[in-house]
Amino acid sequence: MDLIKNNATETDPKEREAALREKVPDLLGPDEHVVLGYKIGRDSYAFTNQRCIVKDRLGLSSKKTEYKSVPYSAIRGYAVETAGSMDSDVELKLYVAGVGRIEMDFVKSTDIFKLKRFLNAHVLVGDRAGKGAGATQIGVQPTKD
């Protein structure tokens, strides 16, 4: 049902990383790791220790795939929207320099505030993403110099 409504469900980050490394070997850097992963049908979202990757299969035949790479330093703002009693999803909106708004829909049971804490740790920590103490709150290891 969520596939029809285009709502992503959380996936195991290690499985998401393995799938990306297998299907697109040069997409992730050698020291880049998926920390949070979500999948919706043929599309997916991967939040790594360095950026957000949005995989979008284009067209009905899915022969073309677009990978949007959003470094945390390019995110100028973000918003989360919780589900109301009549809603079937929660939402994350990223406001990205040079790109505009990227909207992501997730199943209602998704801990949208886990994503918000993750972004807080990677976007609001000064000039180097992931160096804040908040990064360890959800099991994210701060990046090394």
Side-chain angles (χ1 to χ4, degrees), residues 32-93:
E32 186 172 16
H33 302 285
V34 175
V35 180
L36 297 171
Y38 300 88
K39 185 154 178 54
I40 168 60
R42 306 170 303 177
D43 301 337
S44 66
Y45 313 130
F47 294 85
T48 77
N49 56 319
Q50 298 176 11
R51 60 187 164 151
C52 173
I53 299 170
V54 179
K55 175 186 161 201
D56 184 10
R57 298 293 296 252
L58 304 171
L60 295 174
S61 65
S62 302
K63 292 186 181 192
K64 292 173 75 173
T65 304
E66 176 182 63
Y67 293 91
K68 290 179 189 157
S69 177
V70 181
Y72 297 120
S73 61
I75 297 174
R76 298 295 178 241
Y78 49 92
V80 296
E81 186 176 308
T82 60
S85 59
M86 300 298 287
D87 291 329
S88 64
D89 65 352
V90 294
E91 297 177 22
L92 172 66
K93 296 173 185 156

Side-chain angles (χ1 to χ4, degrees), residues 96-138:
V96 182
V99 176
R101 184 174 66 200
I102 296 175
E103 294 186 26
M104 302 176 195
D105 295 325
F106 302 88
V107 294
K108 190 175 186 173
S109 62
T110 299
D111 183 356
I112 197 70
F113 290 102
K114 178 179 177 180
L115 271 167
K116 187 174 185 316
R117 287 189 304 274
F118 179 84
L119 289 172
N120 287 348
H122 284 75
V123 175
L124 302 179
V125 293
D127 62 346
R128 290 282 316 232
K131 288 188 81 165
T136 58
Q137 288 179 358
I138 59 168

